């Protein structure tokens, strides 16, 4: 099976009340861990690459890793997506270079300019058989080159979505309903603390999601910044020399509810990093004499696989939907 677009994936997800996992990839072990879990669970999959990943690993290496995953996982559809494309030129490079889906993120621009930039990308992408994700509203947090302070974040305005989609022709829309990039999604002042002293983030704005869905019936919605920051990984990192106080993510039950509505794509990046880092830190503590990267990357890959399998079954609900 060749790389596919997300069109058919999203239609099935919308009708079926589940979401597709969009997992960020940066190296071979991450690609392997994600795709092995999806293959075993017969789950459709989006592998996404950020501007930072392309700078780190090189566009060609990443595309070839994903193409290798397609060969190794013949039973599932896989899309290759550009995450947070900052401009037309980056989107064009990925479209020309084998991606089947791109995101143009002009959400920080004024509404009219966002439409203008997005429409230009859509026209080029559609001419080349590639689909486009756009964004309305601005998420807080830090992810690679995306850095937005909490005070600069803004919820999506439902009254704008129909005009935006009609004028741009985009194929899916990322909206801001309270998710946030990175492992430090919320300040302590934004949260409450439970009986264990762990921060509890404010709930997602499902009222915004529901209003957007009413205005765009059948249209696939995307959630960025949706890692849950599993506390077992944070605890392991801190116990083995790390310093990640008050790292907190989006509760998984809220993401599952979003997937039951109109959210067809949920982005997960920080949880991959946390699983990998926690496993490697613990390995170094327990095996101080080891120096072969294969020795610590193998369990790190397994940790990613286990975490992705959990997301597919318990959060996204897309197992056996390939």
């Amino acid at each position: 099976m060749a790389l596919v677009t997300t069109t058919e994936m999203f239609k099935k997800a919308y009708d079926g009340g589940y979401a597709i996992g969009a997992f960020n990839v940066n190296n071979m072990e991450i690609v392997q861990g994600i795709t092995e879990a999806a293959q075993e669970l017969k789950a459709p999959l989006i592998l996404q690459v950020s501007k930072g990943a392309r700078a780190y690993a090189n566009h060609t290496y990443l595309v070839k890793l994903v193409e290798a995953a397609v060969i190794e996982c013949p039973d599932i559809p896989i899309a290759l997506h550009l995450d947070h494309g900052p401009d037309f030129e980056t989107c064009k490079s990925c479209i020309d270079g084998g991606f089947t889906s791109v995101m143009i993120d002009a959400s920080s621009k004024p509404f009219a300019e966002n439409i203008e930039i997005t429409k230009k990308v859509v026209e080029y992408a559609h001419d080349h058989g590639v689909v486009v994700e756009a964004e309305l509203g601005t998420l807080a947090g830090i992810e690679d080159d995306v850095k937005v302070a909490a005070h600069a974040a803004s919820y999506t305005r439902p009254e704008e979505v129909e005009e935006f989609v009609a004028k741009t022709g985009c194929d899916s829309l990322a909206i801001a309903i309270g998710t946030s990039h990175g492992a430090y999604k919320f300040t302590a002042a934004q949260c409450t603390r439970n009986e264990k002293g762990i921060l509890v983030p404010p709930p997602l704005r499902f009222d915004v999601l529901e209003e957007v869905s009413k205005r765009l019936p059948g249209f696939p919605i995307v959630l960025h910044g949706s890692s849950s920051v599993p506390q077992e990984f944070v605890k392991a990192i801190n116990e083995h020399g790390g310093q990640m106080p008050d790292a907190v993510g989006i509760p998984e039950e809220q993401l599952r509810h979003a997937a039951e509505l109109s959210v067809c794509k949920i982005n997960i990046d920080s949880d991959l990093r946390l699983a990998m880092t926690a496993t490697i830190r613990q390995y170094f503590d327990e095996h101080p004499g080891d120096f072969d990267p294969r020795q610590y990357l193998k369990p790190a890959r397994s940790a990613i696989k286990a975490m992705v399998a959990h997301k597919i079954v318990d959060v996204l609900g897309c197992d056996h939907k390939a």
Side-chain angles (χ1 to χ4, degrees), residues 4-191:
V4 301
T5 70
T6 54
T7 302
E8 188 65 22
M9 283 186 194
F10 287 169
K11 184 179 186 304
K12 290 180 178 179
Y14 195 103
D15 293 341
Y18 61 88
I20 312 298
F23 299 94
N24 285 68
V25 297
N26 296 278
N27 64 16
M28 183 185 74
E29 287 78 15
I30 294 174
V31 171
Q32 289 174 327
I34 295 166
T35 55
E36 286 174 13
Q39 170 74 3
E40 289 180 11
L41 290 165
K42 300 295 186 288
L45 183 63
I46 300 167
L47 297 177
Q48 59 185 24
V49 172
S50 67
K51 177 184 175 183
R54 290 177 82 224
Y56 168 76
N58 179 289
H59 174 102
T60 304
Y61 280 106
L62 289 168
V63 170
K64 294 305 178 184
L65 282 170
V66 173
E67 289 177 353
V70 171
I71 294 170
E72 292 296 316
C73 302
D75 303 323
I76 61 172
I78 299 176
L80 176 55
H81 175 73
L82 170 65
D83 188 27
H84 286 290
D87 48 44
F88 174 81
E89 289 72 23
T90 303
C91 292
K92 180 180 183 299
S93 175
C94 289
I95 293 165
D96 295 343
F99 283 53
T100 56
S101 175
V102 296
M103 179 201 187
I104 175 63
D105 182 4
S107 59
S108 63
K109 308 291 185 184
F111 183 69
E113 189 175 351
N114 189 352
I115 289 176
E116 179 184 358
I117 295 169
T118 301
K119 183 180 179 182
K120 183 179 179 182
V121 172
V122 168
E123 289 173 347
Y124 188 83
H126 285 182
D127 283 346
H128 292 77
V130 173
V131 295
V132 178
E133 173 188 328
E135 183 167 341
L136 267 181
T138 308
L139 274 65
I142 298 174
E143 180 186 350
D144 287 351
D145 294 329
V146 180
K147 298 176 176 64
V148 179
H151 70 271
S154 61
Y155 291 115
T156 299
R157 294 165 55 87
E159 61 270 22
E160 294 179 340
V161 298
E162 293 161 288
E163 179 184 358
F164 184 85
V165 169
K167 287 185 175 179
T168 63
C170 65
D171 301 284
S172 61
L173 185 65
I175 65 172
I177 62 169
T179 55
S180 179
H181 292 298
Y184 299 94
K185 297 181 183 298
F186 308 98
T187 65
Q190 293 174 294
C191 304

Side-chain angles (χ1 to χ4, degrees), residues 267-287:
N267 288 14
I268 299 168
D269 184 8
S270 294
D271 287 355
L272 300 169
R273 302 180 185 195
L274 290 166
M276 190 168 218
T277 299
T279 305
I280 291 172
R281 279 191 173 277
Q282 182 172 346
Y283 187 94
F284 283 159
D285 255 7
E286 295 174 354
H287 305 86

